[in-house]
Short mmCIF file of all heavy atoms in Angstrom, two decimals:
data_model
loop_
_atom_site.label_atom_id
_atom_site.label_comp_id
_atom_site.label_asym_id
_atom_site.label_seq_id
_atom_site.Cartn_x
_atom_site.Cartn_y
_atom_site.Cartn_z
N PRO W 134 -0.64 28.66 18.31
CA PRO W 134 -0.34 28.74 19.76
C PRO W 134 -1.26 29.85 20.35
O PRO W 134 -1.46 30.90 19.83
CB PRO W 134 1.11 29.20 19.79
CG PRO W 134 1.67 28.78 18.51
CD PRO W 134 0.59 28.87 17.48
N TYR W 135 -1.90 29.48 21.46
CA TYR W 135 -2.92 30.34 22.07
C TYR W 135 -2.44 31.75 22.31
O TYR W 135 -3.22 32.72 22.18
CB TYR W 135 -3.51 29.69 23.30
CG TYR W 135 -4.25 28.39 23.09
CD1 TYR W 135 -4.41 27.50 24.11
CD2 TYR W 135 -4.75 28.07 21.81
CE1 TYR W 135 -5.11 26.33 23.95
CE2 TYR W 135 -5.45 26.87 21.61
CZ TYR W 135 -5.63 26.01 22.66
OH TYR W 135 -6.30 24.81 22.48
N ASN W 136 -1.20 31.88 22.77
CA ASN W 136 -0.77 33.21 23.27
C ASN W 136 -0.46 34.19 22.15
O ASN W 136 -0.34 35.37 22.45
CB ASN W 136 0.46 33.00 24.19
CG ASN W 136 1.56 32.20 23.56
OD1 ASN W 136 1.36 31.52 22.62
ND2 ASN W 136 2.74 32.27 24.11
N VAL W 137 -0.31 33.72 20.94
CA VAL W 137 0.01 34.62 19.79
C VAL W 137 -0.95 34.44 18.65
O VAL W 137 -0.66 34.96 17.54
CB VAL W 137 1.46 34.42 19.33
CG1 VAL W 137 2.48 34.77 20.39
CG2 VAL W 137 1.68 32.96 18.86
N ALA W 138 -2.05 33.85 18.88
CA ALA W 138 -2.96 33.43 17.75
C ALA W 138 -3.39 34.64 16.97
O ALA W 138 -3.34 34.65 15.73
CB ALA W 138 -4.11 32.66 18.28
N VAL W 139 -3.97 35.67 17.59
CA VAL W 139 -4.56 36.80 16.87
C VAL W 139 -3.43 37.56 16.12
O VAL W 139 -3.61 37.84 14.91
CB VAL W 139 -5.33 37.70 17.84
CG1 VAL W 139 -5.73 39.01 17.10
CG2 VAL W 139 -6.60 37.01 18.32
N PRO W 140 -2.34 37.98 16.75
CA PRO W 140 -1.32 38.79 15.99
C PRO W 140 -0.77 37.97 14.81
O PRO W 140 -0.51 38.52 13.75
CB PRO W 140 -0.27 39.10 16.99
CG PRO W 140 -0.58 38.28 18.21
CD PRO W 140 -1.97 38.01 18.17
N VAL W 141 -0.50 36.66 15.01
CA VAL W 141 -0.01 35.81 13.90
C VAL W 141 -1.01 35.80 12.73
O VAL W 141 -0.67 35.93 11.59
CB VAL W 141 0.35 34.41 14.39
CG1 VAL W 141 0.56 33.50 13.24
CG2 VAL W 141 1.61 34.48 15.26
N LEU W 142 -2.31 35.56 13.07
CA LEU W 142 -3.32 35.45 12.05
C LEU W 142 -3.38 36.77 11.28
O LEU W 142 -3.41 36.76 10.02
CB LEU W 142 -4.65 35.18 12.71
CG LEU W 142 -5.91 35.23 11.80
CD1 LEU W 142 -5.83 34.20 10.71
CD2 LEU W 142 -7.17 35.06 12.65
N LEU W 143 -3.45 37.89 11.97
CA LEU W 143 -3.55 39.17 11.28
C LEU W 143 -2.34 39.50 10.43
O LEU W 143 -2.43 40.06 9.34
CB LEU W 143 -3.85 40.29 12.28
CG LEU W 143 -5.13 40.19 13.04
CD1 LEU W 143 -5.26 41.32 14.08
CD2 LEU W 143 -6.36 40.23 12.11
N HIS W 144 -1.15 39.13 10.95
CA HIS W 144 0.06 39.35 10.19
C HIS W 144 0.11 38.53 8.91
O HIS W 144 0.43 39.08 7.82
CB HIS W 144 1.28 38.95 11.07
CG HIS W 144 2.59 38.97 10.29
ND1 HIS W 144 3.25 40.10 9.91
CD2 HIS W 144 3.33 37.93 9.81
CE1 HIS W 144 4.29 39.77 9.25
NE2 HIS W 144 4.39 38.48 9.14
N MET W 145 -0.35 37.31 9.01
CA MET W 145 -0.34 36.50 7.75
C MET W 145 -1.30 36.95 6.73
O MET W 145 -1.01 36.97 5.55
CB MET W 145 -0.59 35.01 8.13
CG MET W 145 0.44 34.37 9.06
SD MET W 145 2.15 34.31 8.32
CE MET W 145 1.92 33.04 7.10
N LEU W 146 -2.49 37.38 7.18
CA LEU W 146 -3.48 37.90 6.23
C LEU W 146 -3.04 39.18 5.61
O LEU W 146 -3.32 39.43 4.40
CB LEU W 146 -4.85 38.10 6.97
CG LEU W 146 -5.57 36.85 7.44
CD1 LEU W 146 -6.80 37.18 8.26
CD2 LEU W 146 -6.01 36.02 6.24
N ALA W 147 -2.37 40.06 6.37
CA ALA W 147 -1.87 41.29 5.82
C ALA W 147 -0.73 41.08 4.88
O ALA W 147 -0.63 41.79 3.82
CB ALA W 147 -1.42 42.24 6.96
N THR W 148 0.17 40.13 5.20
CA THR W 148 1.42 39.98 4.42
C THR W 148 1.22 39.16 3.14
O THR W 148 1.94 39.35 2.16
CB THR W 148 2.45 39.26 5.35
OG1 THR W 148 2.61 40.03 6.55
CG2 THR W 148 3.82 39.22 4.64
N PHE W 149 0.25 38.26 3.12
CA PHE W 149 0.03 37.38 1.98
C PHE W 149 -1.39 37.48 1.48
O PHE W 149 -2.26 36.66 1.76
CB PHE W 149 0.41 35.89 2.40
CG PHE W 149 1.75 35.72 2.87
CD1 PHE W 149 2.08 35.62 4.21
CD2 PHE W 149 2.83 35.72 2.03
CE1 PHE W 149 3.38 35.50 4.66
CE2 PHE W 149 4.13 35.59 2.41
CZ PHE W 149 4.45 35.46 3.76
N PRO W 150 -1.64 38.44 0.65
CA PRO W 150 -3.00 38.71 0.12
C PRO W 150 -3.49 37.56 -0.81
O PRO W 150 -4.65 37.48 -1.15
CB PRO W 150 -2.86 40.01 -0.68
CG PRO W 150 -1.42 40.19 -0.94
CD PRO W 150 -0.71 39.52 0.22
N SER W 151 -2.54 36.64 -1.20
CA SER W 151 -2.97 35.51 -2.05
C SER W 151 -3.75 34.46 -1.21
O SER W 151 -4.37 33.59 -1.82
CB SER W 151 -1.76 34.86 -2.66
OG SER W 151 -0.87 34.37 -1.67
N ILE W 152 -3.70 34.57 0.11
CA ILE W 152 -4.40 33.60 0.99
C ILE W 152 -5.93 33.89 0.83
O ILE W 152 -6.40 34.90 1.24
CB ILE W 152 -3.96 33.73 2.45
CG1 ILE W 152 -2.53 33.26 2.62
CG2 ILE W 152 -4.87 32.90 3.31
CD1 ILE W 152 -1.97 33.47 4.01
N GLU W 153 -6.59 32.97 0.23
CA GLU W 153 -8.04 33.08 0.00
C GLU W 153 -8.87 32.56 1.15
O GLU W 153 -9.95 33.10 1.46
CB GLU W 153 -8.42 32.42 -1.32
CG GLU W 153 -7.70 32.91 -2.53
CD GLU W 153 -7.82 31.96 -3.74
OE1 GLU W 153 -8.40 30.92 -3.56
OE2 GLU W 153 -7.27 32.33 -4.80
N ARG W 154 -8.39 31.46 1.73
CA ARG W 154 -9.19 30.77 2.80
C ARG W 154 -8.29 30.50 3.98
O ARG W 154 -7.07 30.13 3.76
CB ARG W 154 -9.81 29.46 2.31
CG ARG W 154 -10.74 29.65 1.13
CD ARG W 154 -11.34 28.31 0.72
NE ARG W 154 -10.37 27.19 0.67
CZ ARG W 154 -9.47 27.04 -0.24
NH1 ARG W 154 -9.30 27.88 -1.22
NH2 ARG W 154 -8.65 25.96 -0.17
N THR W 155 -8.83 30.62 5.16
CA THR W 155 -8.05 30.36 6.36
C THR W 155 -8.91 29.49 7.31
O THR W 155 -10.09 29.75 7.43
CB THR W 155 -7.68 31.62 7.06
OG1 THR W 155 -6.80 32.43 6.28
CG2 THR W 155 -7.01 31.38 8.41
N LEU W 156 -8.25 28.51 7.88
CA LEU W 156 -8.92 27.71 8.94
C LEU W 156 -7.94 27.55 10.04
O LEU W 156 -6.89 26.92 9.88
CB LEU W 156 -9.30 26.33 8.36
CG LEU W 156 -10.36 25.47 9.10
CD1 LEU W 156 -9.78 24.81 10.39
CD2 LEU W 156 -11.67 26.24 9.40
N VAL W 157 -8.23 28.16 11.17
CA VAL W 157 -7.29 28.04 12.32
C VAL W 157 -7.98 27.44 13.54
O VAL W 157 -9.21 27.66 13.75
CB VAL W 157 -6.72 29.44 12.70
CG1 VAL W 157 -5.76 29.97 11.60
CG2 VAL W 157 -7.80 30.47 12.93
N MET W 158 -7.18 26.71 14.30
CA MET W 158 -7.64 26.19 15.60
C MET W 158 -7.00 27.01 16.63
O MET W 158 -5.77 27.16 16.70
CB MET W 158 -7.22 24.71 15.75
CG MET W 158 -7.64 24.12 17.05
SD MET W 158 -7.74 22.30 17.05
CE MET W 158 -6.09 21.85 16.50
N VAL W 159 -7.88 27.62 17.49
CA VAL W 159 -7.42 28.48 18.56
C VAL W 159 -8.21 28.23 19.84
O VAL W 159 -9.12 27.39 19.84
CB VAL W 159 -7.65 30.01 18.15
CG1 VAL W 159 -6.73 30.37 16.97
CG2 VAL W 159 -9.08 30.25 17.81
N GLN W 160 -7.75 28.87 20.88
CA GLN W 160 -8.52 28.74 22.14
C GLN W 160 -9.96 29.14 21.88
O GLN W 160 -10.26 30.06 21.13
CB GLN W 160 -7.90 29.63 23.23
CG GLN W 160 -8.54 29.53 24.57
CD GLN W 160 -7.81 30.34 25.61
OE1 GLN W 160 -6.67 30.71 25.40
NE2 GLN W 160 -8.51 30.68 26.70
N SER W 161 -10.91 28.41 22.53
CA SER W 161 -12.33 28.63 22.25
C SER W 161 -12.76 30.06 22.44
O SER W 161 -13.52 30.62 21.67
CB SER W 161 -13.18 27.68 23.14
OG SER W 161 -14.53 27.76 22.77
N GLU W 162 -12.25 30.71 23.46
CA GLU W 162 -12.59 32.11 23.76
C GLU W 162 -12.08 33.02 22.67
O GLU W 162 -12.71 33.98 22.31
CB GLU W 162 -12.04 32.54 25.12
CG GLU W 162 -12.69 31.87 26.29
CD GLU W 162 -12.09 32.28 27.63
OE1 GLU W 162 -11.14 33.10 27.58
OE2 GLU W 162 -12.53 31.80 28.69
N VAL W 163 -10.93 32.69 22.09
CA VAL W 163 -10.36 33.52 20.99
C VAL W 163 -11.20 33.30 19.75
O VAL W 163 -11.46 34.22 19.00
CB VAL W 163 -8.89 33.08 20.74
CG1 VAL W 163 -8.34 33.86 19.49
CG2 VAL W 163 -8.01 33.48 21.93
N ALA W 164 -11.68 32.05 19.54
CA ALA W 164 -12.52 31.78 18.39
C ALA W 164 -13.79 32.58 18.51
O ALA W 164 -14.26 33.13 17.50
CB ALA W 164 -12.83 30.26 18.34
N ASP W 165 -14.34 32.68 19.72
CA ASP W 165 -15.55 33.42 19.89
C ASP W 165 -15.33 34.92 19.58
O ASP W 165 -16.17 35.58 18.96
CB ASP W 165 -16.07 33.29 21.36
CG ASP W 165 -16.64 31.93 21.63
OD1 ASP W 165 -17.00 31.21 20.71
OD2 ASP W 165 -16.70 31.56 22.86
#
Side-chain angles (χ1 to χ4, degrees):
Y135 294 158
N136 52 344
V137 295
V139 171
V141 166
L142 173 63
L143 295 177
H144 170 75
M145 296 300 287
L146 290 174
T148 306
F149 300 102
S151 61
I152 293 174
E153 301 164 358
R154 301 182 318 285
T155 295
L156 197 288
V157 291
M158 179 160 55
V159 294
Q160 184 176 340
S161 187
E162 291 177 0
V163 175
D165 289 339

